[in-house]
Amino acid sequence: MPDVTISIWTAVVGFFLSFLAYFFKKWCPSLYVYILTAILGIGWIVYVFLDQGFIKTVPIFFIFVFSFFSSPVPERSKVQLQEIIDQLKEQGAREIVLSKNKERLLVDFLFSGLFIVIAVLYFLFGPDSPITLILLYSFVSLVVGLTKRVELFRALRLFYAEHEEVLYAVSLFETKKYPLEELSEVSVQTRPDVLQLFQLFSLFSPNMDYTTSMGKTWKLSFSGEKVYFTPDPSESMAFLLKEEIHKMEEVEVKPFYHQNNWKRLLGKWYFAATVKGVGAYAALITLFTLMGIGPIVTTIVMVLFWIFNLWISDRVLKIALDMKKIDDPDLLPIIEKVFSRAGLSHVDIYVTESAEYNGFAIGANIGRSLVALTSETLKLPHEAIEGILAHEAIHVKKRDVLMGQLLRFLLIGLVLAGVFLFYKDFQNWLEHAQIFVFLSLWLLIFLLPAFQSLFTQWMEVRADHLGATLLDGGNAQMANSLTILCEYQDRALEKSAGYYVTFEKEQEANKKDKKISSLERDSWFFRFLEFQFMSHPPMYWRVHSLQTTETGWSIGKIKLWWCSRFRESLPN
């Protein structure tokens, strides 16, 4: 493992050079700036190489690249913030004054602080292990996120262009426009729900959090995105209340420290520390290291802790994702029919709020499983929802969540055991073959997701075809369900991508009007990546396999997927 101090300094150097490049571009041609930063960056990596050796330099190099490109510099655009604001004012856009209070910013620092402290303690007292790199990645991400929040709090400006009926959010990092014709829902909260908005407390893509105070918060639901902001109480927001808006309500939100939120806060902290990251594991390892407990006992405790987290995963995620049981009277008969046919009448179905289209199964066993759909998925036609539920019902019935975790654990265990045994038997030789060791380790890292995708893709294909047996329309209905899901997903992605604005290129981008389609067969390289490394086969292939085969599951379909996995990965 690379030296922790050197790794942290590498991240700092990456940040510094990124900011240096940003400021120098104001006075120097971009080519000269690129050459200067490249020379300084190469100089630092050479210094690290001379100090740490080849093997340790490689992960440090990736730390440098990650920190350089993720550093929170303003948008690299020819149009500066003030120029954008001037353009909007010239067009007659009305500025919406925002309510600003530092208490809102302090909440983000408080939530991030615990994870940053855990990382720092591990860097100081924990042993060298792969967790070090994971924590460093999380540490850099949190610092970047906090920096952006501070700058957003300081410089965010909102404008409403009445002639366009567009809401603009302008900041140093990006400018986004939200056409009100895409607005589907408006609600007002008594305060921002920070337990929902904080980046580590969400499983899905984060919401657009423009909140700058702990006051009344407006929540706008656009296609593919939810936007939160806190206008000044004196501001009139009547322009948002169109006839097309089918829901307008004021929701009371309790402070995150209110006793009614204690269980929710604990669940979200636990989720962030064990599911989204390794903070809980790092804290335990650090504690055991300070107590002088040996690596064997520590490893046993970590494995038992992992099994415990797997066992309670359904309850943790239910709390962390703010799930609610589906009570739609139109959907309940569909749910009952699908899960009764699967022999799973006791499985609960929940909904979690998200602008993404998704459904997933949770839980280590049939008796401790549930199925969750996102709120956006419930807007699909009922025929498509029925197909998604049938797919997830098979995951529950076949215990795919448990099997997937066990297989992942087994693969990692086999790799670590193999490396340990090989190192033990050939230690002297390996010390003189660092290039071989480096290539072997990175080959293993490269192949791990490929081996894992063998099992996960098989489970997904099986869920498609066995799920079709639970539907009245069989394969045709399942194929249609996936098609509808893709069409809605692609449309939401197009809309979300279209919210980003670069003023000088906006008209040109609109003319191109590039369409996103997951149902089209992509170039061979992207097919190769999806078939060999992703957890799901490409959607075009899943739909095609359902449309061209009979309803049911058989060895023939396994062969079809296996052959396609390699045939579709080759150049046309």
Side-chain angles (χ1 to χ4, degrees):
M1 292 300 300
D3 182 81
V4 173
T5 304
I6 291 292
S7 299
I8 294 174
W9 272 111
T10 299
V12 172
V13 170
F15 282 149
F16 172 75
L17 291 182
S18 186
F19 278 100
L20 191 69
Y22 169 74
F23 286 111
F24 274 18
K25 282 181 182 178
K26 296 180 179 180
W27 302 289
C28 304
S30 296
L31 178 61
Y32 297 156
V33 174
Y34 291 141
I35 292 174
L36 174 63
T37 53
I39 290 173
L40 293 175
I42 291 171
W44 175 258
I45 295 301
V46 169
Y47 164 75
V48 172
F49 170 74
L50 295 175
D51 182 70
Q52 297 285 301
F54 179 75
I55 292 180
K56 293 183 178 181
T57 301
V58 173
I60 289 177
F61 170 76
F62 286 107
I63 292 170
F64 172 79
V65 172
F66 173 71
S67 60
F68 180 85
F69 286 103
S70 65
S71 59
V73 296
E75 180 70 24
R76 294 176 173 88
S77 169
K78 294 180 181 179
V79 178
Q80 299 301 314
L81 175 66
Q82 191 56 50
E83 293 180 58
I84 296 175
I85 293 173
D86 291 342
Q87 287 185 39
L88 288 170
K89 288 183 175 180
E90 288 175 7
Q91 296 168 7
R94 173 173 73 88
E95 182 168 5
I96 300 169
V97 179
L98 296 173
S99 173
K100 292 192 177 183
N101 189 307
K102 292 181 180 178
E103 182 186 354
R104 176 67 189 92
L105 206 55
L106 290 175
V107 171
D108 283 327
F109 276 90
L110 175 64
F111 286 168
S112 301
L114 179 60
F115 296 101
I116 291 176
V117 167
I118 290 174
V120 170
L121 289 175
Y122 189 89
F123 295 153
L124 293 175
F125 304 109
D128 286 339
S129 74
I131 287 182
T132 305
L133 293 178
I134 298 173
L135 283 178
L136 186 58
Y137 168 83
S138 302
F139 182 84
V140 171
S141 299
L142 280 173
V143 171
V144 169
L146 285 175
T147 306
K148 287 186 175 181
R149 282 293 295 162
V150 171
E151 190 54 45
L152 193 71
F153 178 85
R154 189 187 69 83
L156 176 68
R157 308 278 291 273
L158 286 185
F159 293 86
Y160 172 57
E162 186 175 1
H163 64 288
E164 296 179 276
E165 290 196 329
V166 170
L167 184 69
Y168 285 91
V170 185
S171 72
L172 280 175
F173 298 106
E174 62 190 21
T175 296
K176 302 188 79 171
K177 66 173 187 177
Y178 298 99
L180 296 191
E181 63 182 12
E182 299 293 337
L183 185 59
S184 61
E185 185 176 316
V186 178
S187 64
V188 179
Q189 299 174 342
T190 55
R191 64 176 60 236
D193 187 354
V194 292
L195 294 182
Q196 184 182 49
L197 295 177
F198 185 59
Q199 58 177 331
L200 290 182
F201 293 165
S202 174
L203 182 64
F204 302 101
S205 299
N207 300 296
M208 291 311 303
D209 180 10
Y210 294 130
T211 59
T212 50
S213 78
M214 298 302 291
K216 186 172 290 188
T217 303
W218 284 71
K219 171 187 170 184
L220 310 181
S221 297
F222 294 91
S223 178
E225 206 158 284
K226 294 184 185 292
V227 179
Y228 298 79
F229 64 99
T230 50
D232 188 84
S234 62
E235 283 291 328
S236 172
M237 307 302 294
F239 65 90
L240 293 174
L241 307 181
K242 305 292 183 180
E243 293 181 0
E244 298 83 13
I245 305 303
H246 62 268
K247 186 178 181 182
M248 172 62 189
E249 59 181 22
E250 184 165 340
V251 180
E252 182 181 6
V253 175
K254 300 287 187 183
F256 72 90
Y257 51 82
H258 192 276
Q259 62 180 6
N260 291 351
N261 275 329
W262 288 354
K263 181 179 179 181
R264 187 170 170 233
L265 176 61
L266 179 62
K268 286 180 176 287
W269 275 113
Y270 199 85
F271 162 79
T274 59
V275 178
K276 286 202 72 173
V278 294
Y281 296 92
L284 279 175
I285 292 175
T286 303
L287 178 62
F288 284 9
T289 301
L290 291 174
M291 293 173 61
I293 296 176
I296 296 178
V297 174
T298 300
T299 302
I300 293 173
V301 172
M302 290 300 103
V303 172
L304 293 175
F305 186 49
W306 172 79
I307 294 172
F308 172 74
N309 288 326
L310 182 60
W311 181 252
I312 66 169
S313 60
D314 58 320
R315 281 179 281 187
V316 171
L317 286 169
K318 189 160 50 175
I319 297 171
L321 302 183
D322 299 314
M323 294 185 185
K324 299 177 181 178
K325 276 192 177 182
I326 293 178
D327 56 4
D328 186 339
D330 294 328
L331 284 178
L332 290 178
I334 296 175
I335 294 171
E336 175 65 24
K337 180 176 71 173
V338 169
F339 283 84
S340 293
R341 289 180 178 180
L344 300 169
S345 56
H346 55 283
V347 175
D348 294 323
I349 315 300
Y350 289 82
V351 59
T352 181
E353 185 175 2
S354 172
E356 296 184 21
Y357 293 91
N358 206 343
F360 50 95
I362 300 170
N365 205 350
I366 291 178
R368 301 182 61 86
S369 294
L370 60 87
V371 170
L373 302 178
T374 62
S375 54
E376 208 70 11
T377 303
L378 295 184
K379 298 177 182 179
L380 298 176
H382 285 178
E383 181 185 9
I385 295 175
E386 185 177 1
I388 295 169
L389 288 170
H391 176 98
E392 300 303 332
I394 297 301
H395 280 317
V396 174
K397 187 172 184 177
K398 297 296 184 180
R399 297 179 173 87
D400 285 346
V401 175
L402 174 62
M403 296 305 298
Q405 290 285 351
L406 291 177
L407 287 169
R408 185 179 298 114
F409 184 78
L410 180 62
L411 276 173
I412 295 174
L414 288 174
V415 169
L416 293 178
V419 170
F420 173 77
L421 293 174
F422 194 80
Y423 180 80
K424 184 178 179 181
D425 292 338
F426 299 94
Q427 182 175 358
N428 293 331
W429 178 75
L430 290 175
E431 289 178 357
H432 302 286
Q434 292 194 9
I435 299 295
F436 172 80
V437 173
F438 163 75
L439 294 175
S440 300
L441 288 175
W442 282 97
L443 181 63
L444 284 173
I445 294 172
F446 182 77
L447 290 178
L448 262 178
F451 286 132
Q452 186 174 311
S453 73
L454 284 171
F455 302 105
T456 57
Q457 287 194 15
W458 169 64
M459 292 175 183
E460 293 301 329
V461 175
R462 181 179 63 180
D464 284 344
H465 289 267
L466 276 180
T469 64
L470 307 177
L471 305 174
D472 294 331
N475 274 19
Q477 184 178 346
M478 181 62 79
N480 190 48
S481 297
L482 296 180
T483 299
I484 293 172
L485 175 64
C486 270
E487 290 173 348
Y488 276 72
Q489 275 180 335
D490 292 344
R491 195 177 307 130
L493 286 173
E494 285 179 15
K495 297 291 184 183
S496 184
Y499 298 147
Y500 288 91
V501 173
T502 305
F503 273 60
E504 74 276 8
K505 298 180 180 179
E506 183 177 358
Q507 292 181 351
E508 180 183 349
N510 288 339
K511 287 179 182 178
K512 291 180 180 179
D513 195 25
K514 186 178 180 180
K515 298 293 181 182
I516 299 172
S517 178
S518 304
L519 295 170
E520 292 182 3
R521 186 170 181 260
D522 214 328
S523 62
W524 78 268
F525 179 71
F526 291 102
R527 298 199 310 268
F528 168 77
L529 292 180
E530 284 192 90
F531 267 110
Q532 303 303 324
F533 298 99
M534 299 294 106
S535 60
H536 293 62
M539 189 62 80
Y540 81 87
W541 183 88
R542 292 171 63 185
V543 171
H544 179 74
S545 69
L546 287 162
Q547 291 174 335
T548 56
T549 59
E550 295 181 356
T551 301
W553 181 243
S554 63
I555 296 296
K557 294 196 175 184
I558 298 177
K559 292 179 179 178
L560 174 65
W561 161 71
W562 182 260
C563 293
S564 298
R565 180 180 171 89
F566 293 97
R567 185 170 56 246
E568 288 293 286
S569 299
L570 298 175
N572 295 331

